[in-house]
Amino acid sequence: MSVNDPAEITSALREERKFPPSRQFSERAWIKTLAEYEALCRRAEQEPDAFWAECAREIDWFQPFDRVLEWNFPFVKWFVGGKLNACHNCVDRHLNGPRRNKVALLWEGEPGDSRVLTYQMLAEEVGRCANALKALGVGAGDRVAIYMPVLPEAIVAMLACARIGAIHSVVFAGFSADALADRINDAEAKLCITTDGGWRRGQAVELKRNVDDALARTSSIEKCLVLRRVGNAVAMRPGRDLWWHEVVPGQSPHCEAVAVDAEHTLYTLYTSGTTGKPKGVVHTTGGYLVHTLMTMRWVFDLRDEDVFWCTADIGWVTGHSYTVYGPLAAGATLVAYEGAPNYPENDRFWQIIEKYRVNIFYTAPTAIRNFVKWGDSWVERHDLSSLRLLGTVGEPINPEAWMWYHRVVGKERCPIVDTWWQTETGAIMISPMPGVTVTKPGSATRPLPGVVAEVVDRQGGPVPANHGGLLVIRRPWPGMLRTLFRDPQRYRDQYFSQIDGVYFTGDGARRDEDGYFWIMGRVDDVINVAGHRLGTMEIESALVSHPSVAEAAVVGRPDDLKGQAVAAFVTLISGKQGTDGLREELRTHVAKHIGALARPDYVRFTEALPKTRSGKIMRRLLKQVAAGDETLGDTTTLEDLSVLSRLREEE
Ligand code: WTA
């Protein structure tokens, strides 16, 4: 992995505006005063084990744990000896009291259909699905690939896996057949759950066809369970493919939740890293649930009467932690929406907020920048007075987008929680506590209690306030990844070998004079496009797999809407011409190999790539070219650049 020199991480951003929470908000919040907040942080710092043990008592254990933490660097175990079940905690636990008939899920389909499930109804659906999984031969420890849009059944399928101790591996339905096949193969999944298709801006996306293509390249899948969603024609292979409606509804709704070890794997989720191969991040049961549940309270200030909406797709970690496990563990009423924010028109999100009287709304900066572009009038035609708290996640939010969110959506009344975390951290790590923290637009503010985050130089030494450095976490936390699926060495190399003794996040950051963190984005070869993490190496390997391409280098280029856009520099094998036709072909080629989200925005043909003497592509230079060169996209060669790089090396 190449890590940029932190001294070069500079930030022009100096934001002076400050926003304290209103008295009305603070008075009703879980954490009301700075003194309370500081007491919590002090306790977490001085007696971390006792602190996290108290947090862990907020969930149900079938068997209590003996030890809070076992830290055998860099491998960790939390709540050792405890037994529990995540599905029991998200569903059954709420059935014995006043939440029994509370709405768990307010689901909205893109075409305008909707479904409401109470906790009791959810319990029955999950029970039937869990029995169906068993009937299909799935047991504890088996991997199940879920390739579905945001549908009630997708959430049901995740919980059903958890109920029987199977490990789900959700693959974002926007990924291509190739990407799905890679993930199925790495996980050696036994069952795949999918739909005939999915709705996206009024079009039916043929998911089952992608699954068929993927399964042609995999050998571990025994059965494929297919939910009918859009009604398109699909091929059902006899003996392998089964309709959900023929298998699930006939099952008994009763299925015992198995008691699993606190460290039993709850799920794997593939995320982009600095090599071409996606990493299977492993999350286990006890610590993950405790961490997600506590953040529902600390960060989202969730109360029983709240309607909570996280707009993330279940294909990403945000969808796992804040569309499914966090809110359900907390007994919340959550909203989930299947489709695009601009279908049928640009006000779909605001319409949904008004329809369900959403109180807490959590979305991505890239979405907010689109809303800004579409104009205030789409927001203003809806009554958003139910909103009381807003959140963002996925990438740094620029202060102007923050101000717009604050003013136009929150009507200067709702605190904004800018939450920093990662697939690997499992749940939120750095964020305001909305009743207490004075926010500054663009800053995720301070670490949560029990989270020891620091900004350091390459050697792990401290850097002064307001100097750029690398963001690291010093102590283990309950929601952290435990390893990479079947690759503990890569886990160690990736996260614990860059800087001695600490977890390295891959992000650059600075801490200001008030101890607030300002995240400056990735310093490794990962780019963040519209809040989605993509490894530049993945896109490069996809490009190089095209018969005309000799070599490729991919970098991020600043983009007003997407945060970063994908810029590809490509050298062709001799005799091939860099035509507009080929450029389009390469873009489509990447979309086919990875998914539309990775499609390069710019493809530039070049005679040679700038390299160091040891043959390493000088991405930093390419980034500068990509950022500064308005003519990017034409076919001028970059020979001058290789000269430049040689000059640089000799400096
Ligand atoms: C970035 C998403 C700034 C960061 C939960 C991180 C952020 C990567 C923020 C993880 C934020 C996430 N401010 N940057 N509030 N939240 N990031 O794994 O670069 O999809 O390393 O997890 O997103 O992306 P991932």
Side-chain angles (χ1 to χ4, degrees):
M1 165 163 53
S2 70
V3 174
N4 294 341
D5 186 345
E8 282 177 22
I9 306 170
T10 51
S11 150
L13 195 67
R14 286 288 179 273
E15 176 58 55
E16 303 294 342
R17 287 170 286 201
K18 293 185 182 180
F19 295 87
S22 69
R23 244 210 16 241
Q24 296 93 297
F25 191 97
S26 301
E27 275 171 358
R28 298 194 59 197
W30 273 97
I31 315 286
K32 297 180 173 56
T33 64
L34 203 57
E36 259 177 274
Y37 167 73
E38 279 168 358
L40 209 59
C41 292
R42 229 179 1 257
R43 173 129 169 89
E45 193 188 320
Q46 290 166 0
E47 294 171 90
D49 284 14
F51 172 79
W52 286 118
E54 264 160 45
C55 295
R57 286 191 197 104
E58 301 280 339
I59 63 172
D60 264 9
W61 295 87
F62 294 152
Q63 181 180 304
F65 47 90
D66 319 309
R67 225 157 344 124
V68 175
L69 173 67
E70 213 176 274
W71 184 216
N72 180 13
F73 182 90
F75 298 98
V76 73
K77 289 182 178 167
W78 280 91
F79 310 120
V80 183
K83 287 195 186 301
L84 77 166
N85 181 284
C87 178
H88 166 89
N89 272 285
C90 290
V91 183
D92 309 47
R93 177 161 94 99
H94 308 306
L95 301 181
N96 300 323
R99 288 186 190 140
R100 184 176 67 246
N101 287 320
K102 178 179 176 176
V103 172
L105 175 63
L106 295 164
W107 174 83
E108 176 89 359
E110 193 189 76
D113 48 341
S114 58
R115 272 176 70 191
V116 175
L117 290 181
T118 64
Y119 274 95
Q120 181 63 53
M121 291 154 79
L122 180 63
E124 296 194 356
E125 299 263 340
V126 171
R128 286 193 188 94
C129 182
N131 280 325
L133 297 185
K134 283 196 201 166
L136 296 176
V138 177
D142 289 340
R143 273 80 57 207
V144 175
I146 299 178
Y147 183 67
M148 298 171 98
V150 178
L151 298 174
E153 288 83 356
I155 297 173
V156 164
M158 291 166 75
L159 293 168
C161 288
R163 191 163 192 84
I164 62 170
I167 298 167
H168 59 69
S169 170
V170 180
V171 180
F172 175 54
F175 276 123
S176 67
D178 284 348
L180 173 62
D182 290 345
R183 286 157 177 77
I184 288 176
N185 285 334
D186 192 80
E188 291 187 59
K190 199 169 176 182
L191 175 73
C192 177
I193 310 182
T194 188
T195 61
D196 53 356
W199 292 115
R200 196 69 190 171
R201 292 195 182 88
Q203 302 292 314
V205 184
E206 297 196 85
L207 296 182
K208 176 61 166 61
R209 182 189 293 239
N210 285 349
V211 170
D212 291 339
D213 290 349
L215 296 193
R217 289 187 35 208
T218 61
S219 55
S220 58
I221 294 285
E222 292 168 12
K223 301 279 180 204
C224 178
L225 191 56
V226 187
L227 179 83
R228 188 172 277 156
R229 168 61 184 144
V230 303
N232 53 324
V234 296
M236 296 291 280
R237 180 194 283 198
R240 185 193 71 187
D241 300 348
L242 301 146
W243 284 109
W244 177 291
H245 60 259
E246 286 173 4
V247 176
V248 181
Q251 301 287 333
S252 155
H254 305 290
C255 173
E256 200 188 334
V258 301
V260 300
D261 197 88
E263 283 299 331
H264 181 75
T265 300
L266 176 60
Y267 67 81
T268 61
L269 182 61
Y270 286 82
T271 188
S272 294
T274 49
T275 71
K277 188 171 167 281
K279 302 176 290 194
V281 167
V282 172
H283 282 295
T284 59
T285 308
Y288 175 79
L289 266 193
V290 170
H291 190 177
T292 50
L293 177 62
M294 293 318 291
T295 52
M296 289 306 298
R297 182 179 299 176
W298 291 336
V299 177
F300 296 115
D301 192 49
L302 184 86
R303 290 198 300 256
D304 239 317
E305 62 273 28
D306 281 325
V307 174
F308 177 84
W309 184 19
C310 162
T311 66
D313 191 284
I314 51 155
W316 309 108
V317 75
T318 309
H320 283 63
S321 300
Y322 299 106
T323 301
V324 182
Y325 289 107
L328 292 176
T333 295
L334 69 97
V335 171
Y337 169 55
E338 177 188 30
N342 55 350
Y343 188 85
E345 291 201 284
N346 292 342
D347 60 346
R348 188 63 187 275
F349 276 13
W350 319 121
Q351 186 220 330
I352 293 173
I353 290 174
E354 184 173 18
K355 176 174 176 185
Y356 295 109
R357 316 301 297 148
V358 170
N359 305 109
I360 304 170
F361 178 63
Y362 188 36
T363 196
T366 186
I368 296 170
R369 289 191 296 265
N370 271 311
F371 302 144
V372 174
K373 186 182 81 174
W374 295 337
D376 300 6
S377 67
W378 294 104
V379 189
E380 281 157 6
R381 69 183 66 165
H382 295 279
D383 175 5
L384 304 185
S385 58
S386 59
L387 289 174
R388 67 180 194 88
L389 177 62
L390 304 174
T392 70
V393 62
E395 53 179 316
I397 181 163
N398 41 310
E400 290 326 304
W402 194 103
M403 287 306 299
W404 182 90
Y405 200 30
H406 169 70
R407 197 166 42 78
V408 180
V409 180
K411 308 284 187 264
E412 303 185 3
R413 188 172 38 78
C414 307
I416 296 178
V417 286
D418 173 351
T419 64
W420 177 88
W421 59 295
Q422 311 178 292
T423 304
E424 292 87 345
T425 71
I428 297 166
M429 301 289 277
I430 304 179
S431 164
M433 289 213 178
V436 173
T437 310
V438 176
T439 52
K440 303 183 190 181
S443 170
T445 76
R446 286 156 67 177
L448 295 180
V451 172
V452 186
E454 286 169 19
V455 177
V456 300
D457 63 23
R458 229 191 233 278
Q459 283 69 43
V463 296
N466 283 318
H467 280 247
L470 305 172
L471 179 63
V472 301
I473 316 287
R474 196 163 287 286
R475 279 184 49 89
W477 63 99
M480 75 188 274
L481 80 165
R482 299 304 194 256
T483 187
L484 294 174
F485 191 71
R486 291 193 180 151
D487 204 348
Q489 189 56 43
R490 190 171 174 203
Y491 165 80
R492 185 190 284 273
D493 294 345
Q494 184 78 40
Y495 304 109
F496 294 94
S497 303
Q498 318 275 335
I499 302 166
D500 251 6
V502 294
Y503 169 84
F504 175 46
T505 62
D507 279 335
R510 76 177 161 90
R511 194 153 33 163
D512 71 13
E513 58 288 351
D514 296 327
Y516 280 34
F517 286 74
W518 298 77
I519 311 297
M520 284 142 46
R522 306 287 307 194
V523 295
D524 54 12
D525 299 329
V526 171
I527 54 180
N528 198 328
V529 180
H532 299 150
R533 244 169 94 165
L534 295 169
T536 52
M537 289 283 286
E538 271 173 277
I539 307 174
E540 288 165 9
S541 348
L543 284 165
V544 173
S545 72
H546 187 281
S548 301
V549 174
E551 206 175 19
V554 167
V555 296
R557 166 189 165 147
D559 182 277
D560 283 349
L561 287 180
K562 300 203 282 186
Q564 286 186 297
V566 178
F569 295 81
V570 173
T571 62
L572 298 175
I573 61 167
S574 58
K576 298 285 176 187
Q577 291 301 313
T579 59
D580 284 347
L582 181 59
R583 178 177 293 124
E584 260 328 288
E585 201 177 310
L586 293 180
R587 297 178 69 228
T588 310
H589 183 76
V590 172
K592 182 177 169 296
H593 275 263
I594 305 176
L597 67 164
R599 189 196 310 268
D601 298 276
Y602 308 94
V603 175
R604 180 158 173 172
F605 297 111
T606 167
E607 291 294 318
L609 293 169
K611 288 185 185 168
T612 62
R613 265 186 211 143
S614 59
K616 213 168 142 39
I617 296 170
M618 299 184 74
R619 287 164 200 284
R620 200 156 24 90
L621 222 51
L622 292 175
K623 267 186 210 162
Q624 287 165 7
V625 177
D629 186 350
E630 292 311 318
T631 61
L632 204 74
D634 73 17
T635 50
T636 347
T637 67
L638 286 175
E639 276 161 320
D640 50 337
L641 253 183
S642 53
V643 174
L644 182 63
S645 68
R646 255 174 269 139
L647 284 176
R648 284 247 168 135
E649 272 200 288
E650 281 155 17
E651 267 173 14

